[in-house]
Each structure stands twice: as structure tokens, then as C-alpha cells.
Amino acid sequence: MVASNNLGTGRFDMADIAEMQQAAEAGDITDGRLLVYHVPPSGDPVLKEVTASGIDTLAVYDSDTPSVSSARMRAVFDDMRRLAPARDYGLVLWSHASGWLQDGMADELDGDVASVVPQAFGQDKGLKMNLTTMARTLEGQNFGFVYFDCCYMGSVEVAYELRHATPLIVGSPSELPSNGMPYDRNVRCFFAPEADLLTAARNTFELYDGEFGSNRTCTMSVINTAALDGLAAVVRDIYSSASAPWPSGYKPQRYMTESRCYHYDLGHYVEALGSDDAMLAEFRRFMGEAVLYEAATPFLWNRLAIKSHCGLTTYIFENEAQSRIKGYDTTSWFGDVVSVLLTD
């Protein structure tokens, strides 16, 4: 829970911790343990445990190491396993996020000293973790699921990058309202004998789908990462046969209300590029295997109509220069799949 940003000053972190406490008091943690690495807006990060009787402090960390660095994330995972040994672990990542955008901090996993560049996951006093760094940090940690309680992480680029790190991913393809998921309803889903991620995603979606006006805004997806290699292969074949990265006159389904968009509906795009019925049928089959749950409100913020929602977004570019924006060409999805769009 990286709240050293405006989410923390807005006390959204404390509201969600209070919801966790509610769930604990209701007995929803069952035979598990709920640990929270909390980075407050000011002061040192703390590893806490939420229990039915209150919140206990397990460890305090210095603020010198960024909480969105691989070194700090791995240190917290090590402490988690030492302090709370278990058969299985799930991970919820709470903060700001921007999806695949590779413009976060340089990191020791990239062979560099951590340094600040203009803006992927988390926002710790302006610092963010790149998607590729997150993938290498999470690999080998054996999390049964990763739930992103943040914006724009329901993209095919994110899911594909993390496909070896976890079998299940929950995320929002679009911007998520600052209140995030309802922890008072979802904690019981995480601590079910088998984590019930479909219900957790549905709970989050229904919370916002029941609102009115601009408050009725949400997209949610549950992704089975085992299907992503097959999906990548068929999408690569479809892209290989395309005459251009952006078909003439094509109007994609956007998932950002800003003038510059980095997230478009994957299914809408692939269907526009594809002309081979057999390949498109294969694409739909793998999408059905990869996307276990998807839901979208009719509009985002009462401004952007959602007419196509397959459950995964993607970036679309018109030329080679645009393919390098925000480090897109450093993602595995670009290297393994999208790069064929640039082949003469």
C-alpha cells in the first residue's frame, strides 16, 4: 500500500485499512493472516498485521530506500515469509499505476543505480516501478494471485509481462476510482479455501456500477496467465498479415479520457486488423481462455462510451517512432508480438 502521494493525503489508505479491520472483525480472515506494507504520506513505512483485535506493527523500515524499488519489495517479501509462514500467498498492490508505461525509476535489476526520471506501478513520492522490473521482482515469489487495486493494470502488456510470476491477475483496464475495491467485501474472497477472484472482481465492479452519473465508472478483468502464450502466438500471426499498424479510417475503443491515449481495447483492434476467419476464431478461443471475467460500465466518468470491452487493453501506434514512446518497445509483448507490425 504505497500511499506517499495524494491517495494518502486524501486518506484513502486509512479508509481501506478500516475496511480490512471490519472484515477481520467479521471473521473473514479465517485461518490466514493479513499483512499490510503501508507507506504513509509522511513517516516511515510499516509492515502491519490486521487482526480481529486490532492492528499490530511487525516491522518498521527506513524511508531512504524507495518502496517501489526491487530491493525494498523483495525485503518485504522476505520478512512476510519469515514472520508469517504459509502454504500459499496472494498479493494486492495498492497505489497509483499507469499500466505498461516504462518511464519509471531506473532500478538495480536494470544494472543501474536507482534514479529519478519523469514518471508503471506505485507512486512513492513521485517514484514509480517499471513493469519489467516488477516482473523480475515477482518471479520466483510464487504468489497464487496478484490483484491490482490501482489504475490501468488490466492490459495485455502487463499480463504478458507477469505471466511467469503468477497464475491469476485481477486488474482494471481503465482508471479506477480512488476508493478502490471494497475490502470489507473482498477480504473473505482472498481467504477462501481457494481464492475467489471472480467474486472479488465482481464485487468491485458492482460497487461502482451501482453509482450514478460520473461516479458510475469501472472496468474489471480476471486474467488466466497460462493462456497468454497461446494468445500471443495467434495475435502475432494476425499482426504479421496486417498491411499497417493502424488501418485506414480505424477508430479504436479508447480507455483513457485524456487527449493522449495509451490504452485501447485489444479485441476491437485485433478484429479490425484480422481478415482470416480461422485466425480470428483462434483469437476468440484464446481470449475466452485468458479472460475469466470482464465487465465494464456503459461510460467512463460519464464522458467516454464503452462499446467494446474484451477485458484486455493494448497500446496502438502508427509508426516506428510511436512504438518507442514511454519505452513501449522494451516490453515483452512488443518484442514477442507487436514488433512484427514494423516488419517490411
Side-chain angles (χ1 to χ4, degrees):
M1 180 174 272
V2 183
S4 46
N5 48 56
N6 63 348
L7 292 175
T9 55
R11 297 188 63 79
F12 292 104
D13 54 338
M14 301 312 297
D16 283 345
I17 290 173
E19 289 179 350
M20 296 177 205
Q21 183 70 55
Q22 268 185 270
E25 291 171 357
D28 293 343
I29 296 177
T30 61
D31 61 346
R33 296 176 67 179
L34 176 54
L35 272 58
V36 182
Y37 176 76
H38 181 212
V39 189
S42 61
D44 291 329
V46 177
L47 183 62
K48 307 174 179 180
E49 180 172 5
V50 180
T51 72
S53 57
I55 297 176
D56 301 326
T57 296
L58 303 182
V60 179
Y61 302 80
D62 67 84
S63 299
D64 296 334
T65 302
S67 288
V68 291
S69 69
S70 58
R72 174 52 55 83
M73 190 174 275
R74 284 177 168 175
V76 173
F77 294 158
D78 289 344
D79 288 343
M80 170 195 73
R81 295 180 193 281
R82 176 176 56 85
L83 294 166
R87 296 185 305 274
D88 186 41
Y89 293 90
L91 176 65
V92 176
L93 292 170
W94 183 111
S95 192
H96 286 297
S98 53
W100 60 262
L101 275 63
Q102 289 279 93
D103 53 4
M105 60 185 286
D107 192 270
E108 59 270 22
L109 284 182
D110 301 314
D112 199 356
V113 177
S115 59
V116 184
V117 293
Q119 273 229 306
F121 161 75
Q123 193 177 99
D124 182 14
K125 303 178 182 70
L127 296 174
K128 289 188 175 185
M129 171 180 270
N130 276 336
L131 172 62
T132 49
T133 303
M134 175 186 290
R136 293 194 296 272
T137 304
L138 293 184
E139 277 195 38
Q141 296 293 330
N142 298 316
F143 284 109
F145 66 86
V146 176
Y147 188 119
F148 287 103
D149 194 20
C150 44
C151 303
Y152 297 121
M153 299 303 275
S155 81
V156 71
E157 292 87 357
V158 169
Y160 189 74
E161 202 75 45
L162 300 180
R163 70 195 186 282
H164 300 309
T166 185
L168 293 166
I169 294 172
V170 184
S172 171
S174 66
E175 192 174 4
L176 187 69
S178 297
N179 286 320
M181 76 160 108
Y183 286 86
D184 52 329
R185 298 176 63 189
N186 279 0
V187 164
R188 70 175 69 98
C189 300
F190 300 144
F191 287 96
E194 287 194 19
D196 187 358
L197 300 180
L198 272 67
T199 298
R202 190 177 295 113
N203 286 343
T204 302
F205 175 74
E206 291 178 351
L207 172 68
Y208 295 106
D209 193 40
E211 296 286 346
F212 299 93
S214 62
N215 291 327
R216 188 187 181 194
T217 182
C218 189
T219 58
M220 289 300 299
S221 301
V222 180
I223 309 304
N224 165 30
T225 60
L228 293 177
D229 283 320
L231 180 66
V234 69
V235 172
R236 179 184 171 89
D237 288 344
I238 292 171
Y239 286 3
S240 295
S241 64
S243 58
W246 196 297
S248 177
Y250 176 58
K251 294 182 179 180
Q253 172 65 67
R254 298 166 59 97
Y255 275 83
M256 297 180 73
T257 56
E258 293 85 347
S259 58
R260 185 69 178 94
C261 185
Y262 300 106
H263 305 283
Y264 302 91
D265 190 75
L266 173 67
H268 190 268
Y269 180 55
V270 171
E271 297 278 350
L273 285 182
S275 57
D276 184 290
D277 289 343
M279 282 197 291
L280 285 175
E282 274 291 275
F283 168 72
R284 293 169 194 141
R285 180 173 74 84
F286 277 109
M287 280 296 295
E289 293 177 9
V291 181
L292 303 180
Y293 170 85
E294 58 83 14
T297 51
F299 291 86
L300 297 180
W301 308 108
N302 215 22
R303 294 168 55 194
L304 176 63
I306 300 299
K307 297 180 179 180
S308 180
H309 183 262
C310 73
L312 286 169
T313 56
T314 193
Y315 176 54
I316 306 174
F317 53 83
E318 295 186 66
N319 52 55
E320 186 172 357
Q322 290 183 359
S323 75
R324 297 192 296 269
I325 287 175
K326 304 289 185 181
Y328 186 68
D329 58 345
T330 66
T331 65
S332 297
W333 182 256
F334 175 86
D336 293 352
V337 180
V338 184
S339 56
V340 298
L341 286 167
L342 298 175
T343 304
D344 293 332

